[in-house]
Amino acid sequence: MRIGFVGLGNLGKAIVDRMISQNVDIWVYNRTIEKARNYNHYKEPNDLFKNSDVVFIIIRDSKAVEEFLFNTIDSKHLQNKIIIDMTTNSYDFVIYAHEKLKNLNAYYFEAPLLGSIPAAQTGSLVMLISGDFEIYKKIEEIIKTFTRKIYYFSEIGKPTKIKLLNNFALAGISQTLIETISIAQHMGIEKEVIIDILLNGAGRSYFLEIKKDKILNEDFSPQFSIELLYKDLNYFDELIKKFHLYSTVLEPFKNTLKKAINSNYSSMDISGIYLVLREKIFNDEKFINGLRLFETGNYFQAHEVLEELWREIPQDNKYKNFIKALIQICAGYYKYIEQKNPQGAKKIFKNARNYLLNYVNENVIMDVKEIIKNIDEVINMIENNEDISGFKILVL
Ligand SMILES: NC(=O)c1ccc[n+]([C@@H]2O[C@H](COP(=O)([O-])OP(=O)(O)OC[C@H]3O[C@@H](n4cnc5c(N)ncnc54)[C@H](OP(=O)(O)O)[C@@H]3O)[C@@H](O)[C@H]2O)c1
């Protein structure tokens, strides 16, 4: 069978290299063509489909797969093709893709993977797969070149449900362990010591074993990126809602990843959440309390608590003026709502805006651009004598 491969991202490239090392004859396509240069490649994705019997796909997300398969590839080139989609997709998308591709006379397999680059390099990924069983048997040997275990499910959607469950667990395990390490450090326990002890105690896990060196050396080059895990948690969120289920811990996990994204760490490896969790100011009780008080409309108290934090921050700390901006936002609300002083409030909001302009490209866990946009909106509302109390200005 002629084999095509779409997607030379972090994991896709590692799989292609592994397949080539196992003597699989393979032709690739990648949207950014430069990444394909060292491989037998097609510049046009339709050419890849025309000249392949089996096409492996591993690209960013369901939106990308939908766009690629149904808008980029001519449907006549999909006919009779075996499509193995290893992207981590949303549940709704895979159900739709199975149906749609069946109608186009193609064989679609949802085939999410467990494991990352190191597992791909050693041929020890785990695949969960669903699709036509007879066709699956024909492609099993090719899949075995980069996997150590394949779970075939006759039920469509089941691999995706399990994959999303797995990544929910991954988010929890990684976050708990990394938070443990950073809290330990703030209490004076060395990183090496806490990691070693966790590995010999309750924290012993595949995650810590494979990410230990990344955390120790602060090498957050991506194997599996923060933004992709955030995407998967959003898919998981959609999935549990569909089944009327609820998670008590999903929101905090998502929040931490969102903070990392706001801090411009999106393309870092998931172990990079360490940078967010270890930052003392943003994990300080006063910071968290200040934001909570603000959210509940206690603007004066929020201002007081954040100011206390601000006083403790050394002059040369780069986040000092960011906290100042937040204090001023609290003060602006207080001035307008409680003290009924629109002119004073406007002035304070403008000050906050000026401070924030210096933080647009900094790693500050909040979406600074959005906050600036919101300040402009608030100033506008004040000028129109509108009520700003329900307006959410601080965004994660
Ligand atoms: N990395 C892991 O350890 C891991 C593990 C299990 C599952 N996964 C899943 O595997 C998928 C890929 O992960 P990755 O880490 O390899 O991602 P990545 O490094 O971010 O690469 C993303 C790939 O998708 C391509 N792409 C994005 N949008 C596209 C579009 N609209 N049309 C065509 N191609 C598009 C990119 O092309 P360009 O090069 O042109 O940007 C790139 O090849 C994701 O769904 C991820 O959740 C990853």
Side-chain angles (χ1 to χ4, degrees):
M1 281 191 282
R2 297 166 305 167
I3 298 165
F5 196 104
V6 178
L8 294 173
N10 290 320
L11 189 56
K13 181 184 180 311
I15 296 172
V16 167
D17 288 342
R18 169 72 192 178
M19 288 170 97
I20 291 172
S21 78
Q22 301 303 297
N23 301 319
V24 179
D25 185 11
I26 192 166
W27 282 72
V28 305
Y29 165 77
N30 192 65
R31 183 182 60 176
T32 308
I33 209 77
E34 289 72 41
K35 292 187 193 167
R37 292 245 181 273
N38 295 332
Y39 302 93
N40 288 331
H41 67 278
Y42 291 101
K43 292 194 173 79
E44 290 301 324
N46 274 293
D47 290 341
L48 178 125
F49 270 78
K50 244 188 278 172
N51 296 309
S52 305
D53 304 300
V54 182
V55 178
F56 287 87
I57 299 182
I58 180 159
I59 57 178
R60 185 190 162 83
D61 57 11
S62 297
K63 201 164 153 265
V65 179
E66 181 168 11
E67 168 75 24
F68 181 76
L69 282 178
F70 304 131
N71 292 342
T72 308
I73 303 300
D74 190 328
S75 60
K76 70 173 184 283
H77 299 316
L78 293 171
Q79 279 184 27
N80 298 319
K81 296 294 148 84
I82 300 170
I83 298 165
I84 303 160
D85 182 5
M86 303 184 291
T87 308
T88 305
N89 282 302
S90 73
Y91 176 76
D92 283 350
F93 175 76
V94 295
I95 301 296
Y96 161 77
H98 276 287
E99 186 62 27
K100 177 140 181 164
L101 285 157
K102 193 171 159 195
N103 292 336
L104 292 168
N105 294 322
Y107 299 99
Y108 178 72
F109 289 86
E110 56 173 305
L113 295 166
L114 310 185
S116 192
I117 295 176
Q121 285 165 340
T122 51
S124 52
L125 288 164
V126 172
M127 181 182 276
L128 316 172
I129 187 164
S130 178
D132 186 296
F133 186 70
E134 278 176 26
I135 301 283
Y136 161 69
K137 288 312 269 179
K138 291 188 186 164
I139 53 172
E140 197 180 20
E141 288 309 310
I142 310 169
I143 297 172
K144 279 187 181 164
T145 60
F146 58 91
T147 56
R148 68 175 161 83
K149 198 161 175 64
I150 309 171
Y151 290 88
Y152 176 84
F153 296 97
S154 51
E155 185 186 325
I156 279 167
K158 200 164 178 177
T160 297
K161 281 185 197 159
I162 298 172
K163 170 66 191 173
L164 296 177
L165 283 160
N166 178 79
N167 280 18
F168 167 60
L170 167 67
I173 291 163
S174 56
Q175 193 162 319
T176 307
L177 289 169
I178 292 177
E179 194 163 279
T180 306
I181 295 163
S182 65
I183 291 177
Q185 283 185 280
H186 287 309
M187 296 192 307
I189 299 163
E190 299 79 4
K191 201 157 57 168
E192 294 73 11
V193 172
I194 185 70
I195 290 179
D196 191 42
I197 290 169
L198 284 169
L199 281 170
N200 282 290
R204 182 171 209 151
S205 58
Y206 177 67
F207 173 80
L208 200 52
E209 273 159 19
I210 61 163
K211 301 292 183 185
K212 160 182 91 155
D213 290 337
K214 289 183 96 47
I215 300 169
L216 281 172
N217 304 327
E218 297 196 14
D219 158 22
F220 300 120
S221 54
Q223 291 175 340
F224 179 41
S225 70
I226 287 173
E227 60 186 335
L228 291 182
L229 183 56
Y230 184 66
K231 167 216 28 138
D232 294 348
L233 288 193
N234 282 319
Y235 288 163
F236 181 72
D237 204 359
E238 276 170 33
L239 176 66
I240 59 173
K241 286 195 176 110
K242 195 176 181 80
F243 286 84
H244 307 289
L245 296 166
Y246 176 73
S247 158
T248 51
V249 287
L250 179 60
E251 260 332 285
F253 296 164
K254 275 174 62 179
N255 275 344
T256 303
L257 293 165
K258 190 70 210 307
K259 285 179 191 169
I261 291 168
N262 289 340
S263 301
N264 304 317
Y265 301 146
S266 342
S267 55
M268 278 186 189
D269 187 66
I270 53 168
S271 48
I273 59 164
Y274 173 74
L275 296 176
V276 166
L277 292 172
R278 76 144 182 217
E279 182 47 62
K280 185 85 173 70
I281 294 174
F282 300 131
N283 293 291
D284 193 293
E285 201 192 353
K286 294 191 189 83
F287 181 76
I288 310 283
N289 276 345
L291 293 189
R292 265 197 210 122
L293 286 163
F294 178 82
E295 261 175 30
T296 47
N298 296 297
Y299 306 118
F300 184 73
Q301 290 93 324
H303 169 277
E304 292 295 287
V305 172
L306 289 174
E307 197 165 72
E308 222 180 295
L309 170 66
W310 179 81
R311 267 189 249 110
E312 288 167 9
I313 302 174
Q315 280 306 335
D316 58 353
N317 185 296
K318 66 174 179 177
Y319 299 124
K320 192 156 174 117
N321 281 342
F322 178 69
I323 300 298
K324 181 100 188 165
L326 299 187
I327 294 170
Q328 300 215 320
I329 288 173
C330 298
Y333 270 76
Y334 180 68
K335 217 155 219 69
Y336 183 62
I337 296 171
E338 310 285 340
Q339 296 190 318
K340 319 270 185 238
N341 178 351
Q343 288 316 318
K346 259 171 61 180
K347 196 165 163 238
I348 298 179
F349 278 120
K350 283 183 182 162
N351 281 344
R353 190 184 195 284
N354 283 340
Y355 279 121
L356 287 174
L357 286 173
N358 296 319
Y359 289 93
V360 172
N361 297 316
E362 288 288 344
N363 312 323
V364 287
I365 80 165
M366 284 174 156
D367 190 337
V368 176
K369 280 191 199 134
E370 193 67 22
I371 301 175
I372 292 175
K373 214 170 91 202
N374 290 345
I375 290 182
D376 293 340
E377 178 70 25
V378 161
I379 292 175
N380 208 14
M381 288 163 89
I382 294 177
E383 282 168 353
N384 293 317
N385 277 329
E386 288 172 31
D387 177 15
I388 63 167
S389 55
F391 187 79
K392 206 166 177 266
I393 195 167
L394 295 180
V395 276
L396 259 188

